[in-house]
Structures are given as structure tokens and as C-alpha cells.
Amino acid sequence: MPPKFGTSGLRGLVTDLTDDLVHAHVRAFLAACPHGGAVHVGRDLRDSSPRIAATVIAAIRGAGLLAVDCGAVPTPALAMSAMARDHAAVMVTGSHIPADRNGLKFYLPSGEIAKTDEAAILAALNEGGAPDVAIEGALEQDADCAARYVARYRDGFGAQALSGLRIGVYEHSSVARDTLAEIVAALGGEVVRIARSDSFIPVDTEAVDPETRTALSGWTAEHRLDAIVSTDGDADRPMVTDARGALVPGDVLGPLTAQLLSARIVVTPVSSNTLVEAMEGFEVRRSRIGSPFVIAGMEEALAEDPAAQVVGYEANGGFLLGFEARGPVGAIAPLMTRDAVLPIVAPLAAARARRCGLEELAAHLPPRFTAADRVQEIPSDRSMALIEALRASADERAAFFDTGSDEVGIDETDGLRVGFANGEVVHLRPSGNAPECRLYTEADSAERAQALLKAHMNRLAERLGASS
């Protein structure tokens, strides 16, 4: 499958991400989008990332622009740093996908690229992108990008926010592993570092494999932890467990974080847990899946009221802050890109302040539970063909979906989301940036959501001609 470019950036096999291909996409980005005269460049910890980052920097300098090399840093730290200087940014990362793949994420001085920017970049790519100039642009090293990101949380939450908590940092190959440990320590938590890896491990926070779940549970008991925290490879999605080692889903972390920050408008994709609608104090607006659509919904709210206390989050846990919020001790500036650290720190700080664990904090939320997984190495057109067949025929849906209850409605906002009379939900969607078909379920208990997931994963794999 050749590299694919979309709003989430460019992704493909490392062998296909040649210097010429990377160079062409960067120059198309520079030709099509505002950049403020400079581009900040970061990368994750994949073996292929330094080579690709060097190509990105060469393309920027060849266009006569300043290239700011931030090294290996979390994606939200890079975006925050670039936006503070009104500059563009490029992050070299494949996020949660395997090590044989990689990619680029593009940021304007105002934040993530939108669908309109995607179209402009593709048009510029076809036209050859920005031409080389006679004078090569300068190169600047930024060694303080991660430190400024740490300060964001220290200044907003304070040195006692996590005091008394013993927190494991599952390091694996996350680019945020050291930064995350620094943040936990800066907020007074005791850090226990766990399972650092020299080779890249693809961690999908929305579909954590059974072996990792078992390991997380074992580590919490072995090290007597109050929680384990981690992120995906480029640190725009969080992973959090409670003191039992049980994962706290991203669409639970999101509402808890919104609550602590006193948000009033919440924008979240159609796949997120519906418990947020049952909570008091929120106006909930649903979007298609993907941060560009969440951002569009947030921008719409801010256009209606520039003082709107609006946030966004996704089921994978990435959290977006659209207003200057107040933390326990200080202001937290807006950051309109997916962030993994805010939905880690805020729920832990809230639990500590209430003298309870994360499991007790989450237990006070409305009783709705989600589960998610995906069938991998499935071309998008094959996923779409199945979804179209199910969408077109009630008989096909009745044969595929099995909840023991009648269908009461379908939602085609993004993929096919089917609701049933017993309140359960099953949702199918092709991934927008990987050869995967995603499956989401929702029910009134965690056990039932997992049972629905397992049963429908087997059916989905069979229909797509893959093994579950």
C-alpha cells in the first residue's frame, strides 16, 4: 500500500518514504500553507525518524526558511513551541502504527492542518511544491522545547498536585517517557519507571492488547502503585490505569478533565462514550472521528462566543483545550492540538484532591462503558465495501449484529454506528490513516462492552478475510 496523505499527515512504509517523497510533501506544505518564516521539526523514537527528520530540515532550509530542530520531543510539546512563536511545525512520527511504518504530521502557526489545508497541499504537490531558493535558510537548535512543556503543567497544577501518589511510568518507546516522568515528579508524585525499550513498540491506546493489560495489572501490584501512566509513540494519546491496573478509557479521562477545568462546551466524536451527555454542566457537540473535526467544532463554538469555555477530546484520549483554563494553582493556556499529558494529570490531581483513587472517581460517572479494537492489515476499500453492504440492507445488519435486541437506529456520521433497543451500540469504521477497520462497542457494563467487542471482532475478521 503506497504512502497515504490526509489531514492526519503522511503515512506509509519506511521503505516507501524515500527522501524524494518526503522532500516533495514538505515543499508542497510550504507552498500551500502559512508558516511564519520558520518551521519547527520534531521526531519520535523510531529508528527511521532521524533520517526522515534530516530530510524535512533540508527541505525547509532549501526553501530559504529557518528550520528549528527540536529533536525527539512529544508532538504536543512541538506544536506548543511552534505556535508560541507563530511558526509552522512538522512532526516525524507514525504515531501508534508498527515500526516498519512512519510519517509526517503538519502544523500551521495556528495549529493542526484542516481538510481545506489538506486539499491545498495535495494541489501544490501536483504542481511541484515550493521551488528552491538561492540562499539556504538558517538552522536553529531548540533544546528547551520539552522543558517548556513540563513548565506548562508545573505552573498550572503546582508542586503538590500529585503529592503522596506512587505513579508508574510505562516507558516502552514513547518519545514522552522522560518528559512524562519529569512532569509527574514536578507535581510531587513518586515516579517508578517501568519497561523501557530500546526498540520501537507500537502502542495503540484505543486498542491495548491482552498481554499489555495483564502486564499493567501485574506492575501495579508488584510496585504498589496508585496508577500507571503512558502515551502512544508520539505522545498525543494517553494511557492511564487505576490502582488495580485496569485501563481508564480515553472517553472517561476526557469528561473528568473537562470537569476539573470547568469547561462548558465539549466537542467529541460520535464514537466517544455517551456518558458525557448524562453529566451536568456540559453542552455536548458531536463530530466525525479525527482531531481536525473536533477542532472545527471547537472553532465553531469560539466563533459564536470568543469567551466560550470549550474543550475537545477523542475516544483515544487526546485532549484539546480551547480556552485559558484555571488549574489548581495557575493558568493553563489553550492548546488546540491533541495532548496526552493534560488528561493524565487532571484526573490524577482530581482524585488526590478528593482523597480517592481513579477507580472511585470514575465510578461516580454515569454507568456507560465502551470498548474498542481493530482488524489490521485490511485495505480501506475492503472495509468500506462491508460497511456499505451493511448500511444498505437491514437484513445484512440483522445477520451481522447480535446484541439480543432490536435495532432502533443508525448513525452515518462516520462509518456505521448502530443503536439497539437495550441501549447497546456497535460501531464500524475504516481507519483514516492506517490499513485497519475499527470496531467500537458501548453497553451498561464493562463486561458487556467487552463481550460485544469480542463477538463482533470475530465476525468482522471473518467477513474481511482476516484473523482476529
Side-chain angles (χ1 to χ4, degrees):
M1 188 175 180
K4 182 178 179 181
F5 177 77
T7 317
S8 295
L10 175 70
R11 285 193 184 172
L13 290 167
V14 170
T15 51
D16 292 333
L17 292 172
T18 63
D19 290 348
D20 287 346
L21 184 78
V22 169
H23 190 279
H25 279 80
V26 172
R27 299 304 288 274
F29 168 62
L30 299 178
C33 298
H35 46 66
V39 183
H40 295 229
V41 181
R43 56 182 169 82
D44 67 14
L45 298 181
R46 295 164 193 265
D47 289 343
S48 58
S49 291
R51 185 267 298 176
I52 297 174
T55 302
V56 171
I57 289 171
I60 295 164
R61 297 183 69 194
L65 303 178
L66 169 66
V68 182
D69 184 2
C70 297
V73 293
T75 293
L78 175 73
M80 185 184 83
S81 183
M83 291 164 68
R85 294 176 61 180
D86 201 29
H87 292 163
V90 177
M91 179 71 181
V92 179
T93 181
S95 188
H96 62 280
I97 60 179
D100 64 343
R101 294 167 169 81
N102 211 327
L104 306 176
K105 290 182 178 179
F106 297 100
Y107 292 83
L108 310 179
S110 57
E112 295 183 29
I113 63 171
K115 299 301 289 185
T116 52
D117 302 309
E118 174 191 337
I121 293 168
L122 286 170
L125 187 66
N126 292 331
E127 295 171 3
D132 284 327
V133 298
I135 301 175
E136 186 177 56
L139 175 63
E140 175 184 315
Q141 303 292 333
D142 182 359
D144 297 324
C145 180
R148 291 190 293 272
Y149 188 58
V150 173
R152 170 184 175 82
Y153 299 97
R154 182 192 63 232
D155 296 347
F157 285 86
Q160 300 300 313
L162 303 182
S163 178
L165 299 184
R166 187 173 165 85
I167 299 174
V169 176
Y170 172 32
E171 298 188 318
H172 61 92
S173 52
S174 166
V175 74
R177 56 193 183 185
D178 294 326
T179 303
L180 186 55
E182 288 180 34
I183 291 170
V184 171
L187 273 54
E190 180 183 355
V191 177
V192 178
R193 294 175 178 264
I194 299 170
R196 192 180 187 94
S197 175
D198 291 330
S199 57
F200 188 81
I201 299 173
V203 171
D204 186 341
T205 62
E206 203 173 7
V208 180
D209 61 81
E211 293 79 9
T212 301
R213 290 173 183 266
T214 299
L216 292 166
S217 179
W219 290 330
T220 54
E222 177 187 353
H223 298 290
R224 307 182 312 281
L225 302 173
D226 294 294
I228 293 177
V229 300
S230 189
T231 75
D232 66 340
D234 71 318
D236 64 355
R237 304 179 181 194
M239 177 190 288
V240 180
T241 80
D242 60 25
R244 303 165 299 174
L247 287 163
V248 182
D251 49 7
V252 170
L253 297 173
L256 289 174
T257 303
Q259 219 172 32
L260 178 74
L261 300 176
S262 300
R264 291 292 173 261
I265 299 175
V266 171
V267 181
T268 193
V270 65
S271 58
S272 294
N273 195 316
T274 60
L275 68 83
V276 68
E277 274 92 352
M279 294 174 67
E280 294 183 0
F282 294 147
E283 175 192 336
V284 181
R285 303 186 184 188
R286 294 284 178 166
S287 74
R288 290 183 62 187
I289 298 170
S291 54
F293 300 108
V294 175
I295 291 170
M298 295 172 69
E299 288 176 338
E300 181 178 335
L302 289 167
E304 296 167 3
D305 176 8
Q309 293 170 259
V310 60
V311 299
Y313 67 84
E314 297 185 88
N316 59 39
F319 194 91
L320 303 96
L321 181 60
F323 70 104
E324 185 173 279
R326 180 75 189 179
V329 303
I332 305 171
L335 184 58
M336 293 273 277
T337 190
R338 276 194 312 217
D339 180 22
V341 171
L342 194 52
I344 289 174
V345 168
L348 285 170
R352 178 192 174 275
R354 298 180 192 183
R355 300 181 182 277
C356 68
L358 279 177
E359 60 273 26
E360 185 179 343
L361 195 67
H364 286 89
L365 296 174
R368 295 292 291 171
F369 299 86
T370 57
D373 205 342
R374 79 278 197 213
V375 179
Q376 296 177 282
E377 302 304 329
I378 297 296
S380 295
D381 57 355
R382 198 186 307 173
S383 298
M384 281 304 305
L386 171 60
I387 289 171
E388 288 297 334
L390 294 172
R391 179 183 286 129
S393 169
D395 290 340
E396 283 278 342
R397 294 196 298 277
F400 182 86
F401 296 107
D402 182 13
T403 68
S405 183
D406 292 337
E407 175 186 307
V408 293
I410 63 174
D411 186 330
E412 300 178 46
T413 301
D414 202 330
L416 180 66
R417 185 175 178 87
V418 184
F420 299 89
N422 59 3
E424 295 175 350
V425 176
V426 182
H427 183 175
L428 300 177
R429 170 186 174 264
S431 172
N433 51 34
E436 303 170 349
C437 188
R438 294 268 176 175
L439 173 64
Y440 311 85
T441 62
E442 182 172 333
D444 287 334
S445 74
E447 294 76 15
R448 179 58 179 164
Q450 285 292 338
L452 284 172
L453 182 71
K454 181 178 180 181
H456 287 88
M457 275 293 291
N458 290 336
R459 292 176 179 217
L460 184 60
E462 182 179 350
R463 287 290 297 269
L464 293 174
S467 57
S468 61

